[in-house]
């Protein structure tokens, strides 16, 4: 009886996984319709209306290390896609930049922390890198960037400190 249950469970798991298609999109997805794209990859985390159509944001969640922007034209066809959590985009974040613009560049934060005395918040972006760090942005109470930089990712805290925290 237990062998039967195991086979039934594994069969169910395979059927469930067969319906899942993982990101990132491929070159073959350029030019397909919006409905076909969302049927294949699921609904986006959010949608931003643009002058040329729509920007679909696929956020991989608080422990995900990738965020994809998918551009869709006014004819509802996918025109491009890109992974936005990159060093190049992090360099675009500078003091005075509004939080809305940061979201347009990087997508939603992986984690947000409030600062004491209503000084604002810290928005952290987990991204793929060899140093187990994340990109952090300090946001003022008025909603603009105060500072930005790299900090150790708390998910890697194993009791080490200083330079010994990193694995060489």
């Amino acid at each position: 009886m237990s062998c039967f249950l195991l086979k039934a469970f594994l069969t169910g798991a395979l059927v469930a996984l067969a319906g899942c298609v993982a990101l990132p999109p491929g070159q073959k997805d350029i030019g397909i319709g919006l409905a076909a794209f969302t049927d294949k990859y699921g609904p986006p985390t959010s949608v931003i209306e643009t002058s040329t159509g729509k920007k679909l944001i696929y956020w991989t969640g608080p422990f995900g290390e990738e965020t994809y922007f998918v551009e869709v034209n006014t004819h509802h066809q996918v025109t491009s896609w890109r992974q936005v959590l990159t060093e190049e985009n992090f360099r675009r974040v500078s003091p005075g930049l509004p939080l809305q613009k940061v979201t347009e560049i990087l997508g939603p934060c992986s984690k947000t922390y409030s600062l004491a005395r209503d000084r604002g918040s810290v928005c952290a972006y987990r991204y793929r890198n060899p140093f187990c760090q994340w990109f952090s942005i300090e946001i003022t109470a008025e909603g603009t960037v105060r500072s930005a930089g790299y900090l150790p990712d708390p998910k890697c805290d194993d009791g080490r400190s200083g330079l010994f925290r990193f694995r060489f």
Side-chain angles (χ1 to χ4, degrees), residues 131-157:
F131 304 111
C132 204
Q133 64 187 14
W134 60 6
F135 186 70
S136 296
I137 304 168
E138 184 180 4
I139 306 294
T140 66
E142 294 77 32
T144 60
V145 173
R146 180 178 291 127
S147 63
Y150 301 92
L151 293 172
D153 188 335
K155 78 175 183 178
C156 302
D157 188 13

Side-chain angles (χ1 to χ4, degrees), residues 44-147:
T45 307
S46 61
V47 178
I48 298 173
E49 297 291 330
T50 66
S51 61
T52 58
K54 297 178 181 185
K55 182 187 300 183
L56 310 180
I57 300 176
Y58 283 86
W59 181 59
T60 58
F63 285 98
E65 297 175 330
E66 298 169 337
T67 296
Y68 294 93
F69 285 2
V70 179
E71 302 289 338
V72 178
N73 65 19
T74 55
H75 302 290
H76 305 288
Q77 294 176 311
V78 173
T79 58
S80 67
W81 64 271
R82 67 188 187 283
Q83 202 289 101
V84 296
L85 300 182
T86 64
E87 298 285 336
E88 179 182 343
N89 282 339
F90 295 152
R91 285 191 294 272
R92 295 173 58 193
V93 177
S94 59
L97 193 68
L99 179 58
Q100 177 62 34
K101 186 66 175 167
V102 171
T103 304
E104 290 173 14
I105 295 169
L106 301 173
C109 299
S110 295
K111 185 76 175 161
T112 303
Y113 301 94
S114 294
L115 296 175
R117 299 188 308 250
D118 296 322
R119 289 186 48 234
S121 60
V122 174
C123 179
Y125 289 89
R126 187 167 272 127
Y127 71 106
R128 192 173 308 280
N129 70 84
F131 304 111
C132 204
Q133 64 187 14
W134 60 6
F135 186 70
S136 296
I137 304 168
E138 184 180 4
I139 306 294
T140 66
E142 294 77 32
T144 60
V145 173
R146 180 178 291 127
S147 63

